[in-house]
Structures are given as structure tokens and as C-alpha cells.
Amino acid sequence: MDLQGTSFIGAGRGSGGAGESRAVNPVSGEGMEPAYLAEGEESVEAVCSLAAAAFLDFRERSGVEKAVFLRAIADEVDVLEEEIVSRMTTETGLPEGRCRMEKGRTCGQLRLFASLLEEGSWVDARIDHADPDRAPVAKPDCRSMWRPMGPVVVFCASNFPLAYSVAGGDTASALASGCPVIVKAHGSHPGTAEIVATAVRIAVEKCGMHEGVFSMLYGSGRTIGQSLVRHPVVRAVGFTGSRNGGRALMDAAAARPEPIPVWAEMSAINPVFVLPGALRERGDAIAEGFVGSLTLGVGQFCTNPGLLIAGGEGRSQFAERIASLAGEAAPAAMLHKGIAEAYQDALKVMMTKEGVETLAQVPVQDGSSQGGAVVLGAHAAGFLSDQSMAEEMFGPATLIVSADDEAAMLEVAESLEGQLTATVHATEEDLEMFGKLIAVLERKAGRLVYNGFPTGVEVCDGMVHGGPAPATSDGRSTSVGPRAITRFTRLVCWQDFPDSLLPPELQEENPLKISRIVDGKRN
């Protein structure tokens, strides 16, 4: 594909005017062509105006029409797979297999939401019929369902150039709900973004959608990103990235005259608890699986385990085994130099803390974008006395905390911030002795993993990828799976409306044949 290096403003392309930048190959350190032109305030106004106009049409499209659109996007991404993989591997340093896997997940998400729309019951339609004879006050007819909020801004994630970017989960769920999407491209993989945006634009045209249903801008998150969040047309935001970045967007959204929700995934260390019986019975296997989870993707998954709490005899030998395995893991290029530098900075801070011992450290070349595995150790008492030990080191680093008994483990668990995941390795006997731990972790994390490892997020109906702050800005939802659609909707009730003015989902004869709650009963 002949990349142009310009934004997508509806059916047109941008012209820049606010600077330019290039992607950098993290392996070679070389800049890549073409230069990508940053847009200014004029383009923000243009895409927001287009999205507002598109919303009036798109919100009224049937579930079947929107499903056709989502499937068309997936089909066009499939067509461009080779171009995507070629550019993505060069921009990110990710292996080809990972890129193809992420492409498959991206298309799978789009098709999953298409199936949700075709079935139609996701709107949670509820009907309470009128009772004019009820005393002392007549009962009105009330009908409600989820409805789209309006244009959504989606920020591409640096660590998922496809699955959490241009046509990723936030975009798929926002479009599925009936909301136009404005994407803010990420500066570390702009070419990948341009190819995928081209696929989306082709689908927009093929399906006869309003041009404003999708746009994508290049530019700084601190300028153009903040401008998009503050624009009065925008109704919600989807973000995956750092805690500082997420907080900045949340603050900007909250400061608006009319605040809007920011669905931000920001920070997690995904604790793994290894109880005494499990350690005794299968410590070596747990150590091997843990190191594989820790180093997967050079530790750049949001679910990599950055904390392990071990209890029982043999804790020291277990930690040494993890350190030995991690020390054998070869360093690899991280997604871009900024991430690599932030990782090294976090390590320097953590390794100088009182009570923290370095058990293993894979050396990396100075000034490179490489990340090497690091295993640190501490005792529960020290960890509890310094809460900064629980801060995220985004990369293949973990802190092993030694806990003497159930009380120490519970104290560590209670001290933790909100997490995406919490894992427990246990036997049945362990759970009898440590029964309170699961209840504590349920309050701390969005997904509990038993005798497994947190990396790998299945895209399915039952998945929850979210958690209490700071894992996400709002732990009441998920960014993965069909339930993600409700993040970009709001409930609307129609009281005493004639049938002809009701949405099809709420009409008396149920023309769409969806599941509904009618007078308190599901049918």
C-alpha cells in the first residue's frame, strides 16, 4: 500500500500543519517513511462536526445494518493482512506470529459484536404495561432500553497496535452501539494505523454509511487528544495506556461543562498468590509457567504478572527457580524507545528501595530499546511498610514477596490497589486454610484466575477485562466481550408512548423477536 502519512477526515484526507513525525523501528532505531502530518484545531472541529451529523443517521440504523458494517470492516482487514503484518512487525518489533494473532483477534471482536447485533437482545428491553385501574394512583406504561450516547473518541494503544487501536475493541463496541468513532492514532505505529483505517473507510463506503461515522487523526495526545476530549460533540472516550495519560483524559472530561465518561485502562501488576500446598506439590511447574507469563511479549501485556506472593516452606528455593528461569530469557526489543526508557527508570527506582533484593537481571545494551527480565525479592513486612513497591514496572519485571502465614498474605492482598486480574495457585486443602483470600481478591480484581496465569484474555461472553481503579477508571464494566457495548450507551425510558413511535425493540408485537423483560418476566 502507498502510505500517504495523512489523517482521515471523513471521506477526505488531512493536510497537516501542526508538525510531523515518523515511526521508528525499535530494533534498528531507524526512522521510517513516510512522515506523518499532525493536524490542528481546525481538523478537530471538522471530524467532530462530521461525527455529529453521522450520529443522527447511524443511531437509527438497524442492528442488522450495523452488523453488516462490522463484518465488512473485518473482511477488509483480512484482505489487507499481509500489508498490516509487514508494516506492524517493522514499526513494533513484534514477531510475525503475534501480529497475525492480533489481527485475528481484531477481526474476531468485530464479528462477535456483529453477532450480538443480529440477535438484538443486548439492548435489555424492559416493558411494564399500564394499569389505569390501580389505586390510589394509576400506573403508566413504561418501556426502556439502552441507546447510543453519541460520538466516541478512541485512543490507540501502544502495546496493541490492532486489538486496542483503530478497529480494536473500543471501536468495535462503540460502532456496535450506534456511535460514530474518531480515532486518535498512536505515534509509534502510524503506518499500521493508516492501513487499518483504509480498511474501515472502504467498509464505510461499501455499506453506504455516512462519511462521519469514522475518522482518524494524527497528532499529539497532549494537544489534539485533549482537544477531542473537550469538544462538546464528543460523548465518551476509550483509552488504553499509562496511568498519567488516563488521569489527564479523565480530568479533562470531568472539567467540561457537561462531563463525559472516560473508559480508561491504566495500570495493573496482576498479583499471583502461590499457597503452601500448591508450592509443595508443583512448585517447579508453577515457576516455569509464571516466567513464561512474565516474559510474554517482553512484559508488555496489561496482564503480565508483576507481583508474586509465595507462602509455605520452600519459598526461597521457589524464588531461586523463578530467578534462574528468568535469567535464561533472552532480552528483546520493546515496542518503542519511550517504553524501554520508562521500564529502565522504574527498575532503577524499585531496585534501590530498602528491603528489595535483586534475584536476577538480564543485561541489555545501553541506549537500546531492549527489555530484559528482572526478578526482585522482598518480605511481606517490607512490602507493607512501603506501598510504592506495588507500583507497576511495565515490562518483564516482577517482585516476589515472601509471606510467612495466612495473615501476612491477607494483609498484602488488602493493601493492593485495584487490578485487572488476581491469580491463586492452591490445592483444596490450601483453600480450607486460606479461605478468606478469595473473598479479598474478589474486591480487588475484575478477573480471578485459579491455578493458571493471567496473560491471555479470551474474547467471549463471560470475560471481564476491567477492575477497580487504577486498573480502570470505572470497574463496573469490561473492555473485552459483548458487555463492553454498554459503555457507550445510556438508558432511555418511553412513558405512555403510542406503539408507532416506539423503537422496534419496545413495540408490543416484538417485531425483532428479541428476549425482553415484560411485566417482570423474561420472555
Side-chain angles (χ1 to χ4, degrees):
M1 178 179 291
D2 182 19
L3 299 179
Q4 298 181 32
T6 55
S7 297
F8 291 74
I9 302 177
R13 301 298 292 263
S15 56
E20 64 179 45
S21 63
R22 283 177 169 79
V24 176
N25 183 323
V27 177
S28 68
E30 297 176 351
M32 301 173 62
E33 295 294 337
Y36 277 84
L37 306 181
E39 300 294 330
E41 293 290 339
E42 184 176 331
S43 295
V44 170
E45 187 61 42
V47 296
C48 288
S49 296
L50 284 169
F55 181 55
L56 300 178
D57 169 72
F58 194 51
R59 70 192 298 271
E60 301 303 332
R61 297 288 184 129
S62 69
V64 171
E65 287 178 293
K66 292 195 288 285
V68 169
F69 178 40
L70 293 181
R71 292 190 190 279
I73 296 173
D75 291 344
E76 296 303 327
V77 172
D78 279 339
V79 169
L80 294 174
E81 177 173 350
E82 297 308 317
E83 286 90 341
I84 290 169
V85 171
S86 176
R87 182 75 184 194
M88 183 174 167
T89 54
T90 309
E91 286 187 327
T92 66
L94 293 172
E96 179 182 332
R98 157 70 190 275
C99 296
R100 294 192 187 278
M101 177 277 294
E102 195 173 325
K103 193 283 310 181
R105 172 175 168 166
T106 301
C107 293
Q109 290 175 152
L110 288 160
R111 292 176 175 127
L112 176 65
F113 280 107
S115 297
L116 185 75
L117 294 173
E118 288 166 340
E119 193 278 328
S121 298
W122 73 271
V123 298
D124 193 21
R126 302 188 180 208
I127 297 173
D128 284 281
H129 288 106
D131 182 359
D133 297 326
R134 188 184 68 175
V137 179
K139 177 185 175 183
D141 184 279
C142 294
R143 304 174 185 228
S144 65
M145 58 183 278
W146 292 109
R147 292 291 284 159
M149 295 178 68
V152 172
V153 171
V154 172
F155 286 78
C156 292
S158 64
N159 62 332
F160 280 94
L162 295 177
Y164 282 94
S165 290
V166 177
D170 287 345
T171 295
S173 54
L175 291 175
S177 72
C179 297
V181 169
I182 303 166
V183 170
K184 163 59 182 67
H186 197 281
S188 67
H189 42 75
T192 304
E194 183 176 354
I195 298 169
V196 178
T198 299
V200 179
R201 287 304 319 170
I202 293 171
V204 170
E205 294 168 9
K206 284 186 174 180
C207 295
M209 295 294 173
H210 188 289
E211 64 169 315
V213 79
F214 174 83
S215 293
M216 185 181 78
L217 298 181
Y218 293 103
S220 167
R222 289 188 178 89
T223 55
I224 202 167
Q226 289 276 342
S227 295
L228 286 168
V229 172
R230 289 193 294 264
H231 198 283
V233 160
V234 173
R235 299 287 88 194
V237 175
F239 172 83
T240 297
S242 68
R243 187 187 302 204
N244 288 340
R247 284 296 326 180
L249 296 179
M250 291 166 62
D251 291 345
R256 291 170 37 136
E258 185 180 359
I260 59 173
V262 175
W263 297 98
E265 180 189 314
M266 298 178 290
S267 177
I269 56 174
N270 305 298
V272 175
F273 289 80
V274 181
L275 304 189
L279 178 60
R280 183 174 58 252
E281 289 186 6
R282 53 181 190 276
D284 284 349
I286 295 172
E288 184 175 344
F290 178 83
V291 172
S293 182
L294 171 68
T295 58
L296 184 66
V298 203
Q300 295 169 108
F301 287 99
C302 47
T303 51
N304 287 100
L307 179 68
L308 185 148
I309 304 92
E313 296 181 3
R315 299 192 304 271
S316 296
Q317 295 89 336
F318 178 60
E320 290 172 2
R321 178 59 176 159
I322 289 175
S324 176
L325 291 168
E328 297 171 1
M334 302 189 81
L335 288 161
H336 57 80
K337 194 170 184 178
I339 285 182
E341 290 175 346
Y343 176 53
Q344 293 302 324
D345 290 343
L347 287 176
K348 290 175 183 176
V349 172
M350 191 68 73
M351 293 168 73
T352 57
K353 291 184 181 296
E354 184 178 354
V356 173
E357 177 185 5
T358 301
L359 304 179
Q361 182 177 15
V362 175
V364 297
Q365 183 179 353
D366 290 341
S368 74
S369 294
Q370 287 191 327
V374 174
V375 178
L376 307 175
H379 194 274
F383 179 85
L384 291 167
S385 68
D386 184 356
Q387 285 298 291
S388 67
M389 288 189 192
E391 293 178 1
E392 183 181 34
M393 298 174 284
F394 190 70
T398 195
L399 176 66
I400 299 178
V401 173
S402 176
D404 293 332
D405 51 28
E406 179 192 17
M409 276 203 173
L410 288 174
E411 275 195 87
V412 171
E414 285 282 10
S415 74
L416 296 174
E417 297 180 310
Q419 305 292 332
L420 292 171
T421 74
T423 298
V424 176
H425 284 271
T427 63
E428 290 186 10
E429 183 180 356
D430 282 329
L431 293 180
E432 292 178 6
M433 298 175 61
F434 291 76
K436 296 179 181 178
L437 180 62
I438 303 298
V440 173
L441 296 180
E442 182 188 337
R443 293 188 278 108
K444 298 290 183 175
R447 175 165 59 105
L448 306 182
V449 180
Y450 184 68
N451 286 345
F453 299 96
T455 41
V457 181
E458 185 68 25
V459 181
C460 62
D461 289 316
M463 178 54 63
V464 172
H465 189 61
T472 64
S473 55
D474 191 326
R476 293 173 296 177
S477 187
T478 173
S479 64
V480 175
R483 285 175 172 162
I485 195 173
T486 58
R487 295 175 300 162
F488 305 115
T489 61
R490 63 185 183 90
L491 286 170
V492 178
C493 175
W494 288 258
Q495 182 171 320
D496 289 332
F497 265 63
D499 203 63
S500 60
L501 295 181
L502 290 170
E505 293 89 344
L506 296 177
Q507 291 175 5
E508 192 64 24
E509 295 303 314
N510 193 10
L512 302 182
K513 308 302 179 185
I514 62 173
S515 175
R516 309 188 297 186
I517 294 178
V518 179
D519 295 328
K521 296 181 180 180
R522 173 71 67 181
N523 58 29

